[in-house]
Amino acid sequence: MERQQLSDQFKAIYHQEPDLVVKSPGRINIIGEHTDYNEGFVLPTAIDKAIYVALGKRDDQEIHLYAADFKESYHTDLQSLAPTDKGWPNYILGVVNQLLERGLPLTGFNLFIDGDVPLGAGLSSSAAVECAVGYGLNNLYDLGLDRVEIAKIGQLAEHTYAGVKCGIMDQFASILSKAGNVVKLDCRDLSYTYVPLELGDYEVVLLNTNVKHSLASSAYNDRRQSCETAVALIQEKYPEVNSLRDVTMEMLLELVKPVNEDSFNKGKFVIEENERLNKACDALIAGDIPALGEQLFLAHDALSNEYEVSCKELDFLVDQAKKKDEVVGARMMGGGFGGCTINIVKKGYGKQWADELAPLYQEAFDLELTPIFVKTDNGSELVY
C-alpha cells in the first residue's frame, strides 16, 4: 500500500497527520499445525501481504478506531476498555489492555487500519493486526518492548478479548520473520533459528477455498481441550510431563488410548507432526524439495483424519494436487475448516494449474477458487 494513501486516509478521518505508520505481515506455515499450543515446533514465515496501521496521539484519554475493510469506526477510552460485540476492535483493544496491565504509559490515540491480507484465508490477519498495533504503540510511546514481548502481548490479546486460545506462532511469525527464511520456532521456550527457504525450481502457491466454516473457533478450542485431556491422563502416572512435547507414543498407547480415543488421536497427531517438521527442515537444508513436499502430503492426511480439522473443500484440493507431477506437496494450512491449501509447485506452473482447477472446484462446491502468489517478507516494520 502507498504511504501517501494511508496518510491521506488517516487525515481525512482525523484531520491530522499520523505520527507514524507501521506494517505487520500475514504468514504462511510450511508445516507444524496445531503444535504451537502443545509446546511443539512450527515453521512459519511472513508473506508480502500485510496489515497497515496509522497512529496519532490525542491529548485526551479517548481511543478512536477506523477499519477501512469494514468502513466502520469505534470509540472508547482508556478507562472503559472492554471486549465489544462488534468483533474487529477486540484485536486492537486487547493489545491496549495488555499494555495497560503492564503499567505502561499510554494516552488516547487515533488509529486507522487497512491491509491486503485476505480475511478468512488462514493467513493470520488477526495476529498481523495485533502485532501492528503492539509494534506501533511501542514506537509511538517509546515503551521499550522487544519483539518477543510484543508477540506475547498479541497472543494474550487474542485469548482475553477475541476469545481464541491461540498459540504463539502467528504473532511470532508476524513480528520476527526474515525474508528468504522460515522460522523454526520452539514453542516451549520461544528459542528459534532461521532456516533458508530455498525452493530451487519450485515455489509456494496458496489456493484459497473461499470458505470459512462457522465451527472453526469452537472446534479449535475443543481440539486444545482434547490435547490437555491427554496430558492430564498421562500426568497421573508421569507427573513430570508438562505438555504433549514430553509425551511418547508408548505413554499415549498405555494411558490414553484405553480411556479416550479422541485424545489419543489428537495426541498422536501432535507427536508425529513434530517429527514431520524436523524431517521437513532436514529436506530444506539438503535442498530436497520433493522430500519436503512428501511431509506436507503426510501432514494433510493426518490433519484430516486424526486431528479432524479439514473439510471437503480442502481435501478436494489436496487430492487434486496428488494427481499432478508438478505439485510435490500440499496440505491445508491454518486452524482448519476452510482457508487455504499451501502447495509446493514447479515454478511457472501455479497459474496454469489454478486455471485448470477453478472450473472443477466451481462444479464441485459452487465456489470460486482464488490462487494467492506470495513471497517471504520481513516481520513488523515502520513504514515511516
Side-chain angles (χ1 to χ4, degrees), residues 41 86 136 156 168 244 265 274 278 289 315 322 372:
F41 292 96
K86 190 168 269 208
L156 287 170
I168 192 74
L244 284 172
N265 287 331
N274 283 319
N278 284 321
I289 306 309
D315 290 344
K322 289 176 178 175
I372 303 172

Side-chain angles (χ1 to χ4, degrees), residues 182-215:
V182 287
V183 186
K184 185 183 181 185
L185 171 64
D186 183 338
C187 297
R188 163 164 281 175
D189 59 12
L190 300 188
S191 61
Y192 60 96
T193 55
Y194 294 105
V195 179
L197 185 65
E198 295 171 356
L199 297 176
D201 294 333
Y202 296 90
E203 62 185 344
V204 171
V205 177
L206 309 179
L207 295 175
N208 188 0
T209 61
N210 287 306
V211 68
K212 188 71 175 173
H213 292 291
S214 58
L215 70 160

